[in-house]
Amino acid sequence: MPGSATAATGQFRYTYTTAEGYEAVGFLNDPPSGECIDLVGPGSAPGSVSRAPRNHTDATATVFLGSDCEGDTYYTLLPGRGASERLLVRSVVFS
């Protein structure tokens, strides 16, 4: 019998720059747990990096500089915490 899907409750936010050079905020509402999510801002250049993640969920978020939650550069955000504008991210997974 398959298990039920779990999700983090709340919102995860990040900042990105559009292809036109404007600052924008992206967000994930109640993101799934245990699944890698690539952070792609609408209208952003392909492969661009996001920054300043804010974890307003009830789960721990691990953000990665690399896509597909890969690479040795990552940072863990506890529930309700954010990081500085300098933290660059391309993907996130919630636990």
Coordinates of all heavy atoms in Angstrom, one line a residue:
M1 N 0.8 -1.2 0.0 CA 0.0 0.0 0.0 C 0.9 1.2 0.0 O 1.7 1.4 0.9 CB -0.9 0.0 1.2 CG -1.8 1.1 1.3 SD -3.0 0.8 2.7 CE -4.1 2.1 2.4
P2 N 0.7 2.1 -1.0 CA 1.6 3.3 -1.0 C 1.4 4.2 0.1 O 0.2 4.4 0.6 CB 1.2 4.0 -2.4 CG -0.1 3.4 -2.8 CD -0.2 2.1 -2.0
G3 N 2.5 4.9 0.6 CA 2.4 5.9 1.7 C 1.8 7.2 1.1 O 1.9 7.5 -0.1
S4 N 1.3 8.0 2.0 CA 0.8 9.3 1.6 C 2.0 10.3 1.4 O 3.0 10.2 2.1 CB -0.2 9.8 2.6 OG 0.5 10.0 3.9
A5 N 1.8 11.2 0.5 CA 2.8 12.2 0.3 C 2.8 13.2 1.4 O 1.8 13.5 1.9 CB 2.5 12.9 -1.1
T6 N 4.0 13.6 1.8 CA 4.1 14.6 2.8 C 4.6 15.9 2.2 O 5.2 15.9 1.2 CB 5.0 14.2 4.0 OG1 6.3 13.9 3.4 CG2 4.5 12.9 4.6
A7 N 4.2 17.0 2.9 CA 4.7 18.3 2.4 C 5.0 19.2 3.6 O 4.5 19.0 4.7 CB 3.5 19.0 1.6
A8 N 5.9 20.1 3.4 CA 6.2 21.1 4.4 C 5.1 22.1 4.3 O 4.5 22.4 3.3 CB 7.5 21.8 4.0
T9 N 4.6 22.6 5.5 CA 3.6 23.5 5.6 C 4.1 24.9 5.7 O 5.0 25.2 6.5 CB 2.7 23.2 6.8 OG1 2.1 21.9 6.7 CG2 1.5 24.2 6.9
G10 N 3.7 25.8 4.8 CA 4.2 27.2 4.8 C 4.7 27.6 3.5 O 4.5 26.9 2.5
Q11 N 5.5 28.6 3.5 CA 6.0 29.2 2.2 C 7.6 29.3 2.3 O 8.1 29.7 3.3 CB 5.4 30.5 2.0 CG 5.7 31.1 0.6 CD 5.0 32.4 0.4 OE1 5.4 33.4 0.9 NE2 4.0 32.4 -0.4
F12 N 8.2 29.0 1.2 CA 9.6 29.2 1.0 C 9.8 30.3 -0.1 O 9.2 30.2 -1.1 CB 10.3 27.9 0.5 CG 11.7 28.0 0.3 CD1 12.6 27.8 1.3 CD2 12.2 28.2 -1.0 CE1 14.0 27.9 1.1 CE2 13.6 28.3 -1.2 CZ 14.5 28.2 -0.2
R13 N 10.6 31.3 0.3 CA 10.8 32.4 -0.7 C 12.2 32.6 -1.1 O 13.1 32.2 -0.3 CB 10.3 33.8 0.0 CG 8.9 33.8 0.3 CD 8.6 35.1 1.0 NE 7.2 35.4 1.0 CZ 6.6 36.3 0.3 NH1 7.3 37.1 -0.5 NH2 5.3 36.4 0.2
Y14 N 12.4 33.1 -2.2 CA 13.8 33.4 -2.7 C 13.7 34.6 -3.7 O 12.6 34.9 -4.3 CB 14.4 32.2 -3.4 CG 13.5 31.6 -4.5 CD1 13.8 32.0 -5.9 CD2 12.5 30.8 -4.3 CE1 13.0 31.5 -6.9 CE2 11.7 30.3 -5.3 CZ 12.0 30.6 -6.6 OH 11.2 30.1 -7.6
T15 N 14.8 35.3 -3.9 CA 14.9 36.4 -4.8 C 15.7 36.0 -6.0 O 16.6 35.2 -6.0 CB 15.6 37.6 -4.1 OG1 15.0 37.9 -2.9 CG2 15.7 38.8 -5.0
Y16 N 15.2 36.6 -7.2 CA 16.0 36.3 -8.4 C 15.9 37.6 -9.3 O 15.1 38.5 -9.0 CB 15.4 35.1 -9.1 CG 14.0 35.2 -9.6 CD1 13.7 35.6 -10.9 CD2 12.9 35.0 -8.8 CE1 12.4 35.8 -11.4 CE2 11.6 35.1 -9.2 CZ 11.3 35.5 -10.5 OH 10.1 35.7 -10.9
T17 N 16.7 37.6 -10.4 CA 16.7 38.7 -11.3 C 16.1 38.2 -12.6 O 16.5 37.2 -13.1 CB 18.1 39.2 -11.5 OG1 18.6 39.6 -10.2 CG2 18.1 40.4 -12.4
T18 N 15.1 39.0 -13.1 CA 14.5 38.6 -14.4 C 15.5 38.8 -15.6 O 16.5 39.5 -15.4 CB 13.2 39.4 -14.7 OG1 13.5 40.8 -14.8 CG2 12.2 39.2 -13.5
A19 N 15.2 38.3 -16.7 CA 16.0 38.5 -17.9 C 16.1 40.0 -18.2 O 17.1 40.4 -18.8 CB 15.5 37.7 -19.1
E20 N 15.1 40.8 -17.8 CA 15.1 42.2 -18.1 C 15.9 43.0 -17.0 O 16.0 44.2 -17.1 CB 13.7 42.8 -18.2 CG 12.8 42.3 -19.4 CD 12.3 40.9 -19.1 OE1 12.1 40.5 -17.9 OE2 12.0 40.2 -20.1
G21 N 16.4 42.3 -16.0 CA 17.1 43.0 -15.0 C 16.4 43.4 -13.8 O 16.9 44.1 -12.9
Y22 N 15.1 43.0 -13.6 CA 14.3 43.4 -12.5 C 14.4 42.4 -11.4 O 14.6 41.2 -11.6 CB 12.8 43.5 -12.9 CG 12.5 44.6 -13.9 CD1 12.2 44.2 -15.2 CD2 12.6 45.9 -13.6 CE1 11.9 45.2 -16.2 CE2 12.3 46.9 -14.5 CZ 12.0 46.5 -15.8 OH 11.7 47.5 -16.7
E23 N 14.4 42.9 -10.1 CA 14.4 42.0 -9.0 C 13.0 41.5 -8.8 O 12.0 42.2 -8.9 CB 14.7 42.8 -7.7 CG 16.1 43.4 -7.7 CD 17.2 42.3 -7.7 OE1 17.2 41.4 -6.8 OE2 18.1 42.3 -8.6
A24 N 12.9 40.2 -8.5 CA 11.6 39.6 -8.3 C 11.7 38.6 -7.1 O 12.8 38.1 -6.8 CB 11.1 38.9 -9.5
V25 N 10.5 38.2 -6.6 CA 10.5 37.2 -5.5 C 9.7 36.0 -6.0 O 8.6 36.1 -6.5 CB 9.8 37.8 -4.2 CG1 9.7 36.7 -3.2 CG2 10.6 38.9 -3.7
G26 N 10.3 34.8 -5.8 CA 9.7 33.5 -6.1 C 9.3 32.9 -4.8 O 9.9 33.2 -3.8
F27 N 8.3 32.0 -4.9 CA 7.9 31.3 -3.7 C 7.4 29.9 -4.0 O 6.9 29.6 -5.1 CB 6.9 32.1 -2.9 CG 5.7 32.5 -3.7 CD1 4.6 31.6 -3.7 CD2 5.6 33.7 -4.4 CE1 3.5 32.0 -4.4 CE2 4.5 34.0 -5.1 CZ 3.4 33.2 -5.1
L28 N 7.5 29.0 -3.0 CA 6.9 27.7 -3.1 C 5.9 27.6 -1.9 O 6.4 27.8 -0.7 CB 8.0 26.6 -2.9 CG 9.2 26.7 -3.9 CD1 10.3 25.7 -3.5 CD2 8.7 26.3 -5.3
N29 N 4.7 27.3 -2.2 CA 3.7 27.1 -1.1 C 3.6 25.6 -0.8 O 3.3 24.8 -1.7 CB 2.3 27.7 -1.5 CG 2.3 29.2 -1.5 OD1 2.9 29.8 -0.7 ND2 1.7 29.8 -2.5
D30 N 3.7 25.3 0.5 CA 3.6 23.9 0.9 C 4.3 22.9 0.0 O 3.8 22.0 -0.5 CB 2.1 23.5 1.0 CG 1.3 24.4 2.0 OD1 1.8 24.8 3.0 OD2 0.1 24.6 1.7
P31 N 5.6 23.1 -0.1 CA 6.4 22.3 -1.0 C 6.5 20.8 -0.5 O 6.4 20.5 0.7 CB 7.8 22.9 -0.9 CG 7.9 23.6 0.4 CD 6.5 24.1 0.7
P32 N 6.6 19.9 -1.5 CA 6.7 18.5 -1.1 C 8.0 18.2 -0.3 O 9.1 18.8 -0.6 CB 6.7 17.7 -2.4 CG 7.2 18.7 -3.4 CD 6.8 20.1 -2.9
S33 N 8.0 17.2 0.6 CA 9.2 16.8 1.3 C 9.9 15.7 0.6 O 9.3 14.9 -0.1 CB 8.8 16.3 2.7 OG 8.2 17.3 3.5
G34 N 11.2 15.7 0.7 CA 12.0 14.7 0.1 C 12.2 14.7 -1.4 O 12.8 13.8 -2.0
E35 N 11.7 15.8 -2.1 CA 11.9 15.9 -3.5 C 12.7 17.1 -3.8 O 12.5 18.2 -3.2 CB 10.5 16.1 -4.2 CG 9.6 15.0 -4.2 CD 8.3 15.3 -4.9 OE1 8.3 16.1 -5.8 OE2 7.3 14.6 -4.5
C36 N 13.7 17.0 -4.7 CA 14.5 18.1 -5.1 C 13.7 19.1 -6.0 O 13.0 18.6 -6.9 CB 15.8 17.7 -5.8 SG 16.8 19.1 -6.3
I37 N 13.8 20.4 -5.7 CA 13.1 21.4 -6.5 C 14.1 22.4 -7.0 O 14.8 23.0 -6.2 CB 12.0 22.1 -5.7 CG1 11.0 21.1 -5.1 CG2 11.3 23.2 -6.5 CD1 10.1 21.7 -4.0
D38 N 14.2 22.5 -8.3 CA 15.1 23.5 -8.9 C 14.3 24.8 -8.9 O 13.1 24.9 -9.2 CB 15.4 23.1 -10.4 CG 16.5 22.1 -10.5 OD1 17.3 21.9 -9.5 OD2 16.5 21.4 -11.5
L39 N 15.0 25.9 -8.4 CA 14.4 27.2 -8.3 C 14.6 28.0 -9.6 O 15.7 28.5 -9.8 CB 15.0 27.9 -7.1 CG 14.9 27.2 -5.7 CD1 15.7 27.9 -4.7 CD2 13.5 27.1 -5.3
V40 N 13.5 28.1 -10.3 CA 13.6 28.8 -11.6 C 12.6 29.9 -11.5 O 11.4 29.7 -11.3 CB 13.2 27.9 -12.8 CG1 13.2 28.6 -14.1 CG2 14.1 26.7 -12.8
G41 N 13.1 31.2 -11.6 CA 12.2 32.3 -11.5 C 11.5 32.6 -12.9 O 12.2 32.5 -13.9
P42 N 10.2 32.8 -12.9 CA 9.6 33.1 -14.2 C 10.3 34.3 -14.9 O 10.5 35.3 -14.3 CB 8.2 33.5 -13.8 CG 8.0 32.9 -12.4 CD 9.3 32.9 -11.8
G43 N 10.6 34.1 -16.1 CA 11.3 35.2 -16.9 C 12.7 35.4 -16.6 O 13.4 36.3 -17.1
S44 N 13.3 34.5 -15.8 CA 14.8 34.6 -15.5 C 15.5 33.9 -16.6 O 15.0 33.0 -17.4 CB 15.1 34.0 -14.2 OG 14.9 32.6 -14.2
A45 N 16.8 34.2 -16.8 CA 17.6 33.6 -17.8 C 17.9 32.1 -17.4 O 18.0 31.8 -16.2 CB 19.0 34.3 -17.9
P46 N 17.9 31.2 -18.4 CA 18.1 29.8 -18.1 C 19.5 29.6 -17.3 O 20.5 30.2 -17.6 CB 18.2 29.2 -19.5 CG 17.4 30.1 -20.3 CD 17.7 31.5 -19.8
G47 N 19.4 28.8 -16.3 CA 20.6 28.6 -15.5 C 21.0 29.6 -14.5 O 22.0 29.5 -13.8
S48 N 20.2 30.7 -14.4 CA 20.5 31.8 -13.5 C 20.4 31.3 -12.0 O 19.7 30.4 -11.7 CB 19.6 33.0 -13.7 OG 18.3 32.7 -13.5
V49 N 21.0 32.0 -11.2 CA 21.0 31.7 -9.8 C 20.0 32.6 -9.0 O 19.8 33.7 -9.3 CB 22.5 31.8 -9.2 CG1 22.9 33.2 -9.2 CG2 22.6 31.1 -7.9
S50 N 19.4 32.0 -7.9 CA 18.6 32.7 -7.0 C 19.4 33.1 -5.8 O 20.5 32.6 -5.6 CB 17.3 31.9 -6.7 OG 16.6 31.6 -7.8
R51 N 18.8 33.9 -4.9 CA 19.5 34.2 -3.7 C 18.6 34.5 -2.5 O 17.4 34.6 -2.7 CB 20.5 35.4 -4.0 CG 19.7 36.7 -4.4 CD 20.7 37.7 -5.0 NE 19.9 38.8 -5.5 CZ 19.3 38.8 -6.7 NH1 19.3 37.7 -7.4 NH2 18.6 39.9 -7.1
A52 N 19.2 34.8 -1.4 CA 18.4 35.2 -0.2 C 17.2 34.3 0.1 O 16.1 34.8 0.3 CB 18.0 36.7 -0.3
P53 N 17.4 33.0 0.3 CA 16.3 32.2 0.6 C 15.7 32.4 2.0 O 16.5 32.8 2.9 CB 16.9 30.7 0.5 CG 18.3 30.9 0.8 CD 18.7 32.3 0.3
R54 N 14.4 32.3 2.2 CA 13.7 32.4 3.4 C 12.8 31.2 3.6 O 11.9 31.0 2.8 CB 12.8 33.7 3.4 CG 13.6 35.0 3.1 CD 14.2 35.5 4.4 NE 14.9 36.8 4.2 CZ 16.2 36.9 4.3 NH1 16.9 36.0 4.6 NH2 16.7 38.1 4.1
N55 N 13.0 30.5 4.7 CA 12.3 29.3 4.9 C 11.2 29.5 6.0 O 11.4 29.4 7.2 CB 13.2 28.2 5.4 CG 12.5 26.9 5.7 OD1 11.4 26.7 5.2 ND2 13.1 26.0 6.4
H56 N 10.0 29.8 5.5 CA 8.9 30.1 6.4 C 7.9 28.8 6.4 O 6.7 29.0 6.4 CB 8.1 31.3 5.9 CG 8.9 32.6 6.0 ND1 9.3 33.1 7.2 CD2 9.4 33.4 5.0 CE1 10.0 34.2 6.9 NE2 10.1 34.4 5.6
T57 N 8.6 27.7 6.3 CA 7.8 26.4 6.4 C 8.1 25.8 7.8 O 8.9 26.3 8.6 CB 8.3 25.4 5.3 OG1 9.5 24.9 5.6 CG2 8.2 26.0 4.0
D58 N 7.5 24.7 8.1 CA 7.7 23.9 9.3 C 8.7 22.8 9.2 O 8.8 22.0 10.0 CB 6.4 23.4 9.9 CG 5.7 22.4 8.9 OD1 6.2 22.2 7.8 OD2 4.7 21.8 9.3
A59 N 9.4 22.8 8.0 CA 10.4 21.8 7.8 C 11.8 22.4 7.6 O 11.9 23.6 7.3 CB 10.0 21.0 6.5
T60 N 12.8 21.6 7.7 CA 14.2 22.0 7.4 C 14.4 22.0 5.9 O 14.0 21.1 5.2 CB 15.2 21.1 8.1 OG1 15.0 21.1 9.5 CG2 16.6 21.5 7.8
A61 N 15.0 23.1 5.4 CA 15.2 23.2 4.0 C 16.7 23.2 3.7 O 17.5 23.9 4.4 CB 14.7 24.5 3.4
T62 N 17.2 22.4 2.9 CA 18.6 22.3 2.5 C 18.7 22.9 1.1 O 18.1 22.4 0.1 CB 19.2 20.9 2.5 OG1 19.0 20.4 3.9 CG2 20.7 20.9 2.2
V63 N 19.4 24.0 0.9 CA 19.5 24.7 -0.4 C 20.9 24.4 -1.0 O 21.9 24.3 -0.2 CB 19.3 26.2 -0.3 CG1 17.9 26.5 0.2 CG2 20.3 26.9 0.7
F64 N 21.0 24.3 -2.3 CA 22.2 23.9 -3.0 C 22.5 25.0 -4.0 O 21.6 25.5 -4.7 CB 22.0 22.6 -3.7 CG 21.9 21.4 -2.8 CD1 20.6 21.1 -2.2 CD2 22.9 20.5 -2.5 CE1 20.5 20.0 -1.4 CE2 22.8 19.5 -1.7 CZ 21.6 19.2 -1.1
L65 N 23.8 25.2 -4.2 CA 24.3 26.1 -5.3 C 24.0 25.4 -6.6 O 23.7 26.1 -7.6 CB 25.7 26.5 -5.1 CG 26.3 27.4 -6.2 CD1 25.5 28.7 -6.3 CD2 27.8 27.7 -5.9
G66 N 24.2 24.1 -6.7 CA 24.0 23.3 -7.9 C 22.5 23.0 -8.1 O 21.7 22.9 -7.2
S67 N 22.2 22.8 -9.4 CA 20.9 22.3 -9.8 C 20.7 20.8 -9.4 O 21.7 20.1 -9.1 CB 20.7 22.4 -11.3 OG 20.8 23.7 -11.7
D68 N 19.5 20.3 -9.3 CA 19.2 19.0 -9.0 C 19.7 18.5 -7.6 O 20.0 17.4 -7.3 CB 19.7 18.0 -10.0 CG 19.2 18.3 -11.4 OD1 18.0 18.6 -11.5 OD2 19.9 18.3 -12.4
C69 N 19.9 19.5 -6.7 CA 20.3 19.3 -5.3 C 21.7 18.5 -5.3 O 21.9 17.6 -4.5 CB 19.3 18.5 -4.5 SG 17.7 19.5 -4.3
E70 N 22.5 18.9 -6.2 CA 23.8 18.2 -6.3 C 25.0 19.2 -6.0 O 24.8 20.4 -6.1 CB 24.0 17.6 -7.7 CG 23.1 16.5 -8.0 CD 23.3 15.9 -9.4 OE1 24.1 16.4 -10.1 OE2 22.6 15.0 -9.7
G71 N 26.1 18.6 -5.6 CA 27.3 19.4 -5.4 C 27.6 19.5 -3.9 O 26.8 19.1 -3.0
D72 N 28.8 20.0 -3.6 CA 29.3 20.1 -2.3 C 29.0 21.4 -1.6 O 29.3 21.6 -0.4 CB 30.8 19.9 -2.3 CG 31.3 18.5 -2.7 OD1 30.5 17.6 -2.5 OD2 32.4 18.4 -3.2
T73 N 28.4 22.3 -2.3 CA 28.0 23.6 -1.7 C 26.5 23.6 -1.4 O 25.7 23.7 -2.3 CB 28.4 24.8 -2.7 OG1 29.8 24.6 -3.1 CG2 28.1 26.1 -2.1
Y74 N 26.2 23.6 -0.1 CA 24.8 23.6 0.3 C 24.8 24.3 1.7 O 25.8 24.5 2.4 CB 24.3 22.2 0.4 CG 24.9 21.3 1.3 CD1 24.5 21.2 2.7 CD2 26.0 20.5 0.9 CE1 25.2 20.3 3.6 CE2 26.7 19.7 1.8 CZ 26.2 19.6 3.1 OH 26.9 18.8 4.0
Y75 N 23.6 24.6 2.1 CA 23.3 25.3 3.4 C 22.0 24.9 3.9 O 21.0 24.7 3.1 CB 23.3 26.8 3.1 CG 23.3 27.7 4.4 CD1 24.4 27.9 5.1 CD2 22.1 28.2 4.9 CE1 24.4 28.7 6.3 CE2 22.0 28.9 6.0 CZ 23.2 29.2 6.7 OH 23.2 29.9 7.9
T76 N 21.9 24.6 5.2 CA 20.7 24.2 5.8 C 20.0 25.3 6.5 O 20.6 26.0 7.3 CB 21.0 23.0 6.8 OG1 21.6 22.0 6.1 CG2 19.7 22.5 7.5
L77 N 18.7 25.5 6.2 CA 17.9 26.5 6.8 C 16.8 25.9 7.7 O 16.0 25.1 7.2 CB 17.1 27.4 5.8 CG 18.0 28.3 4.9 CD1 17.2 28.8 3.8 CD2 18.6 29.4 5.7
L78 N 16.9 26.1 9.0 CA 15.9 25.6 9.9 C 14.5 26.3 9.7 O 14.5 27.4 9.1 CB 16.3 25.9 11.4 CG 17.6 25.1 11.8 CD1 18.0 25.5 13.2 CD2 17.4 23.6 11.7
P79 N 13.4 25.7 10.1 CA 12.1 26.3 10.0 C 12.1 27.7 10.5 O 12.6 28.0 11.6 CB 11.2 25.4 10.7 CG 11.9 24.1 10.8 CD 13.3 24.4 10.8
G80 N 11.5 28.7 9.8 CA 11.4 30.0 10.2 C 12.6 30.9 10.0 O 12.7 32.0 10.4
R81 N 13.6 30.4 9.4 CA 14.9 31.1 9.2 C 15.1 31.5 7.8 O 14.6 31.0 6.8 CB 16.1 30.2 9.6 CG 16.0 29.8 11.1 CD 16.2 30.9 12.0 NE 16.1 30.5 13.4 CZ 16.9 30.9 14.3 NH1 17.9 31.7 14.1 NH2 16.8 30.4 15.5
G82 N 16.0 32.5 7.6 CA 16.4 33.0 6.3 C 17.9 33.2 6.3 O 18.6 33.0 7.3
A83 N 18.4 33.4 5.1 CA 19.8 33.6 4.9 C 20.1 35.0 4.2 O 19.1 35.6 3.8 CB 20.4 32.5 4.0
S84 N 21.3 35.4 4.2 CA 21.7 36.7 3.7 C 21.5 36.8 2.2 O 21.3 35.7 1.5 CB 23.1 37.0 4.0 OG 24.0 36.4 3.1
E85 N 21.5 38.0 1.7 CA 21.3 38.2 0.3 C 22.5 37.6 -0.5 O 22.3 37.3 -1.7 CB 21.3 39.8 0.1 CG 21.1 40.2 -1.3 CD 19.7 40.1 -1.8 OE1 18.8 40.0 -1.0 OE2 19.5 40.2 -3.0
R86 N 23.6 37.3 0.1 CA 24.7 36.8 -0.6 C 24.7 35.3 -0.8 O 25.4 34.7 -1.6 CB 26.0 37.1 0.2 CG 26.3 38.6 0.4 CD 27.5 38.8 1.2 NE 27.5 38.0 2.4 CZ 28.3 38.1 3.4 NH1 29.2 39.0 3.4 NH2 28.2 37.3 4.5
L87 N 23.7 34.6 -0.1 CA 23.7 33.1 -0.3 C 23.0 32.8 -1.7 O 21.8 33.2 -1.9 CB 22.9 32.5 0.8 CG 22.8 30.9 0.7 CD1 24.2 30.3 0.8 CD2 21.9 30.4 1.8
L88 N 23.7 32.2 -2.6 CA 23.2 31.9 -3.9 C 22.7 30.4 -3.9 O 23.4 29.5 -3.4 CB 24.3 32.0 -4.9 CG 25.0 33.4 -4.9 CD1 26.1 33.5 -6.0 CD2 24.0 34.5 -5.2
V89 N 21.6 30.2 -4.6 CA 20.9 28.9 -4.6 C 20.3 28.6 -6.0 O 19.9 29.5 -6.7 CB 19.9 28.7 -3.5 CG1 20.5 28.9 -2.1 CG2 18.7 29.7 -3.7
R90 N 20.3 27.3 -6.3 CA 19.7 26.9 -7.5 C 18.6 25.8 -7.3 O 17.8 25.5 -8.1 CB 20.7 26.4 -8.5 CG 21.5 27.5 -9.2 CD 22.2 27.0 -10.4 NE 22.8 28.0 -11.1 CZ 24.1 28.5 -10.9 NH1 24.8 28.0 -10.0 NH2 24.5 29.5 -11.6
S91 N 18.7 25.1 -6.1 CA 17.8 24.0 -5.8 C 17.6 23.9 -4.3 O 18.4 24.4 -3.5 CB 18.2 22.7 -6.4 OG 19.5 22.4 -6.0
V92 N 16.5 23.2 -3.9 CA 16.2 23.0 -2.5 C 15.5 21.7 -2.3 O 14.8 21.2 -3.2 CB 15.3 24.2 -2.0 CG1 14.0 24.2 -2.7 CG2 15.1 24.1 -0.5
V93 N 15.7 21.1 -1.1 CA 15.0 19.9 -0.7 C 14.5 20.1 0.7 O 15.3 20.7 1.5 CB 15.8 18.6 -0.9 CG1 17.0 18.6 0.0 CG2 15.0 17.4 -0.7
F94 N 13.3 19.6 1.1 CA 12.8 19.8 2.4 C 12.7 18.4 3.1 O 12.4 17.4 2.5 CB 11.3 20.4 2.3 CG 11.3 21.8 1.8 CD1 11.2 22.0 0.4 CD2 11.4 22.9 2.6 CE1 11.2 23.2 -0.1 CE2 11.4 24.1 2.1 CZ 11.3 24.3 0.7
S95 N 13.0 18.5 4.4 CA 13.0 17.2 5.2 C 12.1 17.4 6.4 O 11.7 18.4 6.8 CB 14.4 16.8 5.6 OG 15.0 17.8 6.3

